[in-house]
Amino acid sequence: MYFRTFAAAAALLVATGAAQAEFTLGDRFTDADGDLVADIPSDPSQQIDPGTLIFAYTPVEDPAVYAEVWAGFLEHLEAATGKDVQFFPVQSNAAQIEAMRAGRLHIAGFNTGSNPLAVACAGFRPFAMMAAADGSYGYEMEIITYPGSGIESVEDIRGKQMAFTSETSNSGFKAPSALLASEFGMTAGTDFEPVFSGAHDNSILGVANKDYPAAAIANSVKARMLDRGVVNADQLSVIYTSQTFPTTGYGVVYNLAPELQQQIRDAFFSYDWEGTALAEEFGRNGEDQFIEISFQENWAVIRQIDEANGVEYTCN
């Protein structure tokens, strides 16, 4: 099994002249303090204070499962804000970003790779991330296959099919794309056939059921699926593991009233995880609290990967 520091792969792409993308916010936003996230509008007429708050977790194969997982936390949010809070199941990262851009989504957990685009184009203001009791956090990108696939190393993917999740996913597309190009000289469409499953759990199930010979996935999702018995460990084989990346970032849309943003923020950090469905589900990854994060600092490596891939934060 491989283990590599992905920053080296990203640096190599930059050094060899790959197109770079400077991170900038969309034209509708300002960033007077230079923290790379949209400022809250100073004009009260541009702020919103909805009677019902809409919350969405990052896209998953079975949103109904996660609606139940988050139910207790949403009740806590209701008590903290005095508002109704509804769970909004999203089918894709693009749909989640568009919902926030259009004003239909107020609180969200955006996956690692889609965080920069959500910040740049939807006015997302991330402030929290799940972590272990000791403050450690994150997950690794893995390239997986199934036993007997004939794939023993990354190089063996040449000429075969490989599953990604979506183009906005860090571990499901961006990181492995830069890695395969820089470290192995392999390009999608030339050296292997890329397919998109839509979600990490879809990719993991696809490999376990031998629909895909290989896939790039987040091992935090795999761990939860193994723990629930959705797949078995003997159905999967890991051929590559990356460095640790930040996980899902939680936050709010930029134009919520400041007092409401503070109430929501406080609710995340005051939530008691003990005995909750949230603890049961995410405890499978060793996570049992929310910690404060900075998009500018914690997502620096993800923006570096985007630069290495020539990603443009274009907001139409």
Side-chain angles (χ1 to χ4, degrees), residues 11-74:
L12 177 58
L13 280 183
V14 172
T16 54
Q20 296 188 46
E22 180 181 358
F23 184 84
T24 56
L25 297 179
D27 294 340
R28 8 178 341 203
F29 311 118
T30 61
D31 179 21
D33 56 6
D35 63 356
L36 302 186
V37 299
D39 298 329
I40 302 172
S42 57
D43 183 350
S45 68
Q46 297 179 8
Q47 300 168 6
I48 61 172
D49 189 12
T52 297
L53 296 171
I54 308 300
F55 171 88
Y57 179 57
T58 188
V60 291
E61 182 194 25
D62 190 352
V65 171
Y66 283 87
E68 295 180 7
V69 166
W70 284 99
F73 177 78
L74 298 193

Side-chain angles (χ1 to χ4, degrees), residues 46-119:
Q46 297 179 8
Q47 300 168 6
I48 61 172
D49 189 12
T52 297
L53 296 171
I54 308 300
F55 171 88
Y57 179 57
T58 188
V60 291
E61 182 194 25
D62 190 352
V65 171
Y66 283 87
E68 295 180 7
V69 166
W70 284 99
F73 177 78
L74 298 193
E75 290 178 3
H76 176 70
L77 266 178
E78 289 181 333
T81 63
K83 298 180 181 291
D84 292 333
V85 183
Q86 294 183 3
F87 183 88
F88 174 49
V90 292
Q91 302 303 316
S92 69
N93 297 317
Q96 188 180 22
I97 292 172
E98 182 54 35
M100 182 164 281
R101 284 187 67 190
R104 301 190 304 272
L105 178 60
H106 309 117
I107 312 167
F110 281 98
N111 70 6
T112 304
S114 65
N115 247 268
L117 190 59
V119 170

Side-chain angles (χ1 to χ4, degrees), residues 185-207:
M186 295 168 59
T187 304
T190 300
D191 300 294
F192 61 91
E193 178 191 356
V195 295
F196 289 88
S197 71
H200 290 278
D201 27 13
N202 292 344
S203 289
I204 293 164
L205 282 169
V207 171

Side-chain angles (χ1 to χ4, degrees), residues 1-6 139-143 154 179 219 222 238-245:
M1 181 177 71
Y2 287 93
F3 182 90
R4 296 288 188 272
T5 301
F6 188 80
Y139 71 98
E140 292 76 45
M141 181 274 291
E142 292 180 351
I143 297 177
V154 174
L179 160 76
N219 62 4
K222 186 188 73 174
V238 179
I239 59 172
Y240 192 99
T241 303
S242 76
Q243 75 171 73
T244 299
F245 297 120

Side-chain angles (χ1 to χ4, degrees), residues 144-229:
I144 60 172
T145 186
Y146 57 84
S149 67
I151 298 175
E152 301 294 332
S153 66
V154 174
E155 291 90 340
D156 293 335
I157 297 172
R158 288 184 185 274
K160 299 180 176 65
Q161 189 181 76
M162 179 168 173
F164 297 106
T165 59
S166 68
E167 292 182 352
T168 57
S169 173
N170 176 62
S171 56
F173 180 69
K174 294 178 180 180
S177 294
L179 160 76
L180 289 166
S182 67
E183 190 165 341
F184 298 98
M186 295 168 59
T187 304
T190 300
D191 300 294
F192 61 91
E193 178 191 356
V195 295
F196 289 88
S197 71
H200 290 278
D201 27 13
N202 292 344
S203 289
I204 293 164
L205 282 169
V207 171
N209 293 324
K210 304 182 179 180
D211 296 324
Y212 307 131
I217 56 96
N219 62 4
S220 56
V221 178
K222 186 188 73 174
R224 296 197 296 269
M225 293 175 71
L226 288 169
D227 194 71
R228 291 200 306 267

